[in-house]
Amino acid sequence: MKKLLVITGKSFAIFFLSLLFILALFSVSPVYDFEIPGPFRGPDIFNPYSALDTTKVWKRANFHTHTKVESPLNECDYWPDEVYDAYSRFGYDIVTFSNHNALTEHPFDSTLQVNVYEHGYNLFKYHLLVFGSDDVCFFDPLLPVLTSQRQWKLDMLGKDSDFIQLNHPFRTNLTSRDDMECLTGYRITELDSGVTTEQEYWDWSLSAGHYSFALANDDLHYPDRSDKIAVRCNMLCCDGADYTTLKSTLLSGAYYCMRVPDFGEGDWDVKYDSNRTLPQISDIGLKADTAYVCLSRPAARIKATGQDARTLEEAENSDTLSWKMRPEDSYVRFTAYFDDGVVIYTNAFARYDASVADSPYVESPHRVNVLLTILYNLLVLAVASGCAVLIWATVRSGRKRAR
């Protein structure tokens, strides 16, 4: 019995030390000095809908979709063609497949191929949607506690991709306001946790002067469950679904996103019918210094949100709302709430200097703190080395006893 306990104890020790060794090796990272955040400033107002062409049809899209893959590890029981068919029944025109650390081929049309994957298998669910990469990057900080680790991941993936979406910050463990005020290098923020319709994480980054567009995606794993599919969507104003068109649209801002209730709550016929008659944005834009939105039918409430998530203006039982941006207004975005539970989110109008940049989005510099980087990585390597020595000593002592 004593011998069994000793063997069990040593096995557990080796497992724990091995795990700690791996975590340490994947924690190597620069340490950055981030700029002090500040609101958008400038004489001009960025209009994400300046290229809006109302002659084009709004296309309904979901960009965060999981399917079955050729692997023993699967997060969905259905193949890409089955998932695509499931979305088509709800009127979706665009579906991209973003499996974890894997590029997935379009099931039937190579002209609609979008190279996108969800990066990350770390313990905090700090995941990113990587668009336009030909290869998958498998390195991931397994314990991304530091903001610098998260930023390094963004920088690393940004070098070999077209753009990045910051996935579900609401569900990413230990994501703080400080993180959102520092992180840069992503063009899109994924909205709506399913718990609240307020988007404080997005407002934290916008208020810090970090511009990003917004998408709301199902993050689909269960196409056979009515409460998991077609409960988020994005409406893009574009004339095609090929990657070149999608990339241009997603980086220009001519789209809005929606939260959609589970109509019928299990009655699929009701869900299909209700999804075909969703409210839409009929017009949106900027006239002089006034941002406005017009809806296809009256909403119970429309809200204009600005700096630090303050409510700037509200309208009840209305299909329109506008806000004249004052010099002190850094940005404004609109949210429409409907009685049936549908919520529409627009992209943000924001101040910038058109003589300097094309948009408020900037790659904010974050300088490497050389001293802290050396000290931090020496500590990480010391932990890894210590674990390796203890593993070797434990295994060696076990072999001696066996003799």
Side-chain angles (χ1 to χ4, degrees), residues 96-391:
T96 63
F97 306 102
S98 54
N99 288 304
H100 273 280
N101 300 297
L103 294 172
T104 305
E105 291 185 5
H106 194 279
F108 59 84
D109 190 345
S110 60
T111 66
L112 301 179
Q113 175 66 25
V114 175
N115 280 11
V116 57
Y117 69 97
E118 184 170 20
H119 182 278
Y121 34 75
N122 58 80
L123 302 180
F124 290 169
K125 295 185 178 180
Y126 176 56
H127 298 162
L128 304 172
L129 224 57
V130 183
F131 286 85
S133 179
D134 293 329
D135 298 296
V136 173
C137 174
F138 291 99
F139 180 85
D140 189 28
L142 298 181
L143 280 178
V145 178
L146 302 178
T147 306
S148 290
Q149 290 175 292
R150 300 184 180 204
Q151 184 61 61
W152 190 41
K153 178 172 170 174
L154 282 163
D155 294 346
M156 179 173 53
L157 295 173
K159 292 177 181 178
D160 298 312
S161 65
D162 290 331
F163 59 100
I164 293 173
Q165 171 184 284
L166 183 65
N167 284 359
H168 46 64
F170 282 82
R171 293 189 283 113
T172 301
N173 298 324
L174 299 186
T175 298
S176 66
R177 180 164 187 165
D178 285 343
D179 290 328
M180 299 305 294
E181 289 179 342
C182 291
L183 294 175
T184 61
Y186 59 94
R187 300 300 302 270
I188 297 170
T189 300
E190 191 171 54
L191 300 191
D192 206 330
S193 67
V195 177
T196 175
T197 57
E198 303 306 310
Q199 305 302 329
E200 60 179 345
Y201 287 79
W202 190 30
D203 282 313
W204 287 344
S205 60
L206 290 174
S207 297
H210 302 315
Y211 191 87
S212 65
F213 299 119
L215 289 176
N217 300 299
D218 279 340
D219 189 2
L220 183 76
H221 295 263
Y222 305 100
D224 55 337
R225 290 175 52 178
S226 68
D227 62 331
K228 298 298 182 182
I229 189 171
V231 291
R232 308 285 183 277
C233 69
N234 307 282
M235 303 301 292
L236 280 65
C237 187
C238 58
D239 54 5
D242 59 282
Y243 179 63
T244 300
T245 301
L246 293 181
K247 175 184 173 182
S248 175
T249 304
L250 290 174
L251 293 180
S252 71
Y255 52 96
Y256 61 92
C257 53
M258 303 177 71
R259 178 181 188 174
V260 182
D262 179 23
F263 291 114
E265 297 181 343
D267 187 327
W268 289 91
D269 289 333
V270 171
K271 189 175 178 74
Y272 292 139
D273 290 341
S274 298
N275 272 268
R276 298 283 183 173
T277 58
L278 295 174
Q280 291 187 335
I281 288 180
S282 56
D283 193 15
I284 184 171
L286 187 71
K287 293 179 180 178
D289 54 359
T290 299
Y292 67 91
V293 62
C294 301
L295 307 172
S296 61
R297 67 172 187 247
R301 181 168 62 103
I302 311 176
K303 180 174 69 171
T305 302
Q307 181 71 23
D308 297 321
R310 289 193 300 268
T311 298
L312 303 174
E313 186 70 280
E314 284 186 299
E316 294 184 356
N317 301 313
S318 177
D319 59 3
T320 62
L321 184 64
S322 62
W323 178 254
K324 184 175 182 178
M325 292 187 69
R326 304 161 299 183
E328 64 268 25
D329 289 326
S330 62
Y331 75 92
V332 62
R333 63 178 184 84
F334 297 108
T335 308
Y337 306 85
F338 294 83
D339 284 329
D340 59 4
V342 172
V343 183
I344 290 178
Y345 306 98
T346 75
N347 282 317
F349 300 80
R351 291 207 166 273
Y352 77 122
D353 189 342
S355 66
V356 175
D358 295 330
S359 78
Y361 176 81
V362 293
E363 292 282 358
S364 297
H366 35 274
R367 295 179 294 105
V368 174
N369 187 313
V370 178
L371 178 59
L372 287 181
T373 296
I374 293 173
L375 293 176
Y376 168 73
N377 286 289
L378 284 176
L379 176 62
V380 168
L381 293 176
V383 172
S385 300
C387 290
V389 169
L390 289 173
I391 292 171

Side-chain angles (χ1 to χ4, degrees), residues 59-63 84 92-96 236 238 240-241 246:
K59 289 183 170 54
R60 191 176 182 184
N62 186 73
F63 293 97
Y84 190 95
Y92 283 75
D93 307 287
I94 300 165
V95 181
T96 63
L236 280 65
C238 58
L246 293 181

Side-chain angles (χ1 to χ4, degrees), residues 1-15:
M1 183 63 180
K2 183 178 179 181
K3 186 177 181 180
L4 179 61
L5 289 174
V6 170
I7 294 174
T8 302
K10 287 189 174 182
S11 299
F12 177 79
I14 291 172
F15 172 78

